[in-house]
């Protein structure tokens, strides 16, 4: 380890892989953890405290669906009393007004509600469930409550044309932040890429609209967005650098540098049931593996942008180039960029595959 | 703030620690004018108003009547 290793800022807590939805782009791994392997309430609360000792500021309680944990109110209270800023990243069910009040009373700071589109039809197609109306009810309940609200819209080929409807939902709510997150192709989204990948024309229209919205809503709603990196010239600075800012805990307690890191062969993950969080962060093999620059190959290792984007995403390098230490193939400087261009060149042909919905476990 | 953090020190910390839903803007100004009694009171006031407006634009706080 290096003595100067900065502390993580955010602890992403995948409380469970259980979820009532079956979204075709779910970021959970294809191998889901079962309920019986989930960490206990006490273990999570210990993890929150260890996180604070390590310098973590925020806990993102996510899943799966975090509300599927019957102890969610206790977990929010535990994270808040440990001293963390607590976000709940949720589909909005199972939730009623009494449970929402209990979460807020327990100290919830921020409620992030995901949407699959601006109307029932696309939401049902993407999530395999009828849940859009419940989300609108939750937004209505949130109006009279004291908690920060973000709406998260996951964007792709089937709903990019619904930007105006999505903005209308946000503007009639109490949200102070909107995230327009174009699908990233890992996990279930990688399986469904052919059906999800937008066209260049769709993307250009989106970028035009999002800039207008940003300007118009300035001071009312922060508009944040992620572009699909297959269309980018340079890769995203994934996770703000491997093992630099974020520490993710899976439902069964494995500590990962990012949600997709499990796809990289040969990475050994430590578990919070066996090791202290600080020790895992400072010196575990998985966190050390792609820290700094010593793992880089050309063109990254001599590139002026290496301190800006860290060579892009390790999981994407593995998925597209077959080598987790390669330059992210979306980079225009990558010798593998042609493989991404080949994928994009098929985007105007009619898809030949059918949706593969995210599995569900009990 | 969601997915962000403010690095606070000196006057910014003094201001934000008073943004608790109880202090009025006038009270915050009066407190800081006392705390920074060597500074020009008008300058303290305009700096505070500017900083609060910036935080509002960033959606880190809201003003209530």
């Amino acid at each position: 380890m290096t003595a100067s290793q900065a502390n993580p800022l955010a602890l992403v807590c995948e409380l469970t892989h259980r979820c009532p939805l079956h979204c075709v782009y779910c970021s959970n791994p294809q191998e889901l953890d079962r309920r019986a392997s989930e960490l206990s309430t006490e273990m999570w609360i210990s993890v929150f405290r260890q996180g604070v000792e390590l310098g973590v500021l925020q806990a993102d309680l996510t899943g799966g669906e975090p509300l599927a944990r019957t102890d969610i109110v206790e977990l929010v209270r535990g994270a808040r009393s440990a001293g963390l800023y607590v976000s709940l990243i949720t589909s909005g069910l199972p939730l009623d007004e009494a449970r929402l009040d209990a979460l807020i009373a327990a100290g919830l700071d921020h409620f992030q509600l995901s949407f699959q589109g601006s109307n029932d039809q696309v939401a049902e197609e993407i999530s395999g469930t009828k849940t859009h109306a419940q989300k609108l009810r939750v937004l209505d309940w949130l109006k009279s409550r004291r908690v920060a609200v973000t709406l998260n819209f996951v964007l792709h080929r089937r709903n990019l044309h619904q930007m105006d409807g999505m903005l209308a939902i946000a503007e009639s709510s109490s949200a102070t932040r909107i995230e327009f997150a174009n699908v990233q192709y890992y996990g279930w989204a990688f399986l469904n890429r052919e059906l999800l990948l937008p066209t260049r024309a769709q993307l250009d229209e989106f970028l035009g609209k999002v800039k207008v919205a940003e300007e118009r809503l300035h001071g009312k709603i922060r508009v944040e967005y992620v572009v699909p990196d297959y269309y980018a010239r340079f890769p995203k600075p994934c996770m703000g650098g491997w093992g630099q800012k974020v520490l993710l805990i899976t439902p069964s307690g494995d500590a990962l540098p990012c949600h997709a890191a499990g796809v990289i062969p040969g990475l050994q993950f430590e578990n919070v049931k066996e090791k202290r969080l600080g020790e895992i962060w400072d010196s575990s093999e998985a966190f050390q593996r792609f820290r700094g620059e010593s793992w880089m190959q050309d063109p990254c290792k001599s590139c002026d942008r290496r301190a800006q984007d860290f060579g892009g995403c390790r999981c994407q390098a593995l998925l597209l180039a077959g080598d987790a230490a390669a330059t992210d193939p979306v980079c225009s400087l990558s010798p593998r960029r042609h493989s991404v261009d080949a994928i994009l060149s098929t985007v105007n042909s009619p898809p030949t595959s059918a949706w593969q919905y995210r599995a569900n476990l009990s | 703030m969601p997915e962000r953090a403010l690095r606070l020190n000196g006057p910014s910390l003094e201001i934000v620690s008073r943004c608790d839903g109880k202090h009025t803007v006038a009270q915050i100004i009066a407190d800081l004018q006392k705390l920074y009694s060597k500074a020009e009171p008008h300058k303290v006031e305009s700096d505070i108003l500017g900083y609060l407006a910036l935080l509002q634009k960033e959606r880190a706080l809201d003003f209530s009547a």
Side-chain angles (χ1 to χ4, degrees), chain A residues 24-25 125-126 155-159 183 185 188-199 202 346-347 349-357:
Chain A
V24 291
Y25 45 63
E125 178 186 353
I126 295 303
L155 302 178
H156 46 76
R157 189 184 184 96
R158 301 284 298 122
N159 68 4
V183 167
Y185 298 100
W188 298 89
F190 192 74
L191 290 179
N192 287 301
R193 185 180 62 199
E194 187 189 16
L195 289 150
L196 291 168
L197 194 63
T199 64
Q202 280 186 302
T346 64
V347 80
S349 338
T352 54
S353 50
W355 291 121
Q356 295 188 62
Y357 286 94

Side-chain angles (χ1 to χ4, degrees), chain A residues 39 43 47 249 253-255 270-275 277 280:
Chain A
L39 296 182
M43 191 67 233
V47 167
I249 311 293
D254 282 350
E270 310 273 3
N271 194 288
V272 296
K273 285 181 284 194
E274 281 129 37
K275 269 208 176 132
L277 213 53
I280 295 174

Side-chain angles (χ1 to χ4, degrees), chain A residues 240-252:
Chain A
W242 183 273
Q244 295 301 317
K245 294 187 169 160
V246 179
L247 205 166
L248 178 143
I249 311 293
T250 67
S252 56

